[in-house]
């Protein structure tokens, strides 16, 4: 099992969460909520209002999201879903645990107690330069006050 941190449309209550609970695509078990240890720019960009975490450590905000434990099948699905490695790149990042529900071995309990876990995160280094000047968010909600509703793939 691998640990993945999601900050956008794959979170609970967001437009693509259905994929996280679709066992035909693999297993994803909610572990808790967290935020990036380092600051990153989280922008909503493109004609489909997609949330992107730009891989520019030290800029932006501590980005909030959810921590999942996923099997190899789900990780492969997420790579394809996220257009990895072209649109997003999957990298390991340190995530500060805000709330932990995860059950597991001593390693997980110790990591949660220390407050920091390593997770795969889909961020991007392949973006138009003008995205750096878009507003930065510390958390994403498709129907947030930004007014930039996400456009589902089925509707594009």
């Amino acid at each position: 099992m691998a640990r993945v941190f999601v900050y956008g449309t794959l979170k609970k209550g967001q437009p693509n969460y259905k994929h996280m609970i679709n066992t035909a695509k693999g297993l994803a078990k909610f572990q808790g909520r967290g935020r990036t240890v380092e600051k990153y720019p989280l922008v909503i960009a493109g004609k489909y209002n997609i949330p992107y975490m730009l891989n520019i450590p030290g800029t932006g905000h501590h980005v909030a999201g959810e921590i999942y434990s996923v099997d190899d099948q789900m990780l492969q699905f997420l790579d394809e879903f996220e257009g990895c490695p072209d649109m997003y790149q999957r990298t390991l990042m340190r995530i500060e645990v805000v709330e932990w529900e995860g059950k597991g071995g001593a390693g997980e309990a110790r990591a949660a107690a220390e407050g920091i876990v390593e997770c795969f995160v889909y961020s991007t280094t392949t973006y138009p330069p003008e995205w750096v000047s878009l507003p930065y968010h510390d958390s994403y909600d498709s129907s947030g006050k930004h007014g930039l509703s996400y456009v589902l793939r089925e509707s594009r």
Side-chain angles (χ1 to χ4, degrees):
M1 300 289 275
R3 204 174 273 144
V4 176
F5 176 77
V6 298
Y7 57 84
T9 65
L10 291 166
K11 295 188 308 183
K12 290 180 181 179
Q14 296 303 310
N16 289 316
Y17 176 66
K18 62 187 180 237
H19 299 300
M20 298 299 286
I21 56 174
N22 182 348
T23 54
K25 294 180 163 81
L27 298 175
K29 184 175 179 344
F30 178 77
Q31 298 282 282
R33 293 183 311 106
R35 63 186 203 143
T36 58
V37 169
E38 290 196 74
K39 294 180 176 182
Y40 290 92
L42 172 59
V43 299
I44 302 170
K47 61 182 175 181
Y48 303 122
N49 297 324
I50 297 171
Y52 292 92
M53 184 189 300
L54 307 183
N55 198 339
I56 311 173
T59 301
H61 301 289
H62 299 282
V63 177
E66 297 173 349
I67 301 163
Y68 288 85
S69 182
V70 302
D71 66 5
D72 290 342
Q73 182 184 350
M74 178 59 80
L75 194 61
Q76 185 177 345
F77 165 78
L78 290 171
D79 280 355
E80 291 167 15
F81 182 80
E82 299 289 12
C84 186
D86 301 325
M87 190 157 113
Y88 293 93
Q89 297 79 48
R90 175 167 45 95
T91 56
L92 276 173
M93 289 186 189
R94 293 172 59 229
I95 304 298
E96 177 188 355
V97 175
V98 174
E99 181 182 307
W100 190 255
E101 289 185 16
K103 296 178 178 47
E108 279 198 14
R110 188 170 55 252
E114 290 169 7
I116 307 284
V117 293
E118 277 213 325
C119 299
F120 284 122
V121 180
Y122 292 92
S123 63
T124 186
T125 56
T126 52
Y127 53 86
E130 60 271 18
W131 285 11
V132 176
S133 59
L134 292 170
Y136 297 164
H137 304 272
D138 60 358
S139 105
Y140 175 79
D141 182 343
S142 177
S143 55
K145 60 181 181 268
H146 49 70
L148 301 169
S149 292
Y150 174 78
V151 179
L152 285 168
R153 290 180 185 201
E154 306 84 81
S155 306
R156 296 179 191 169

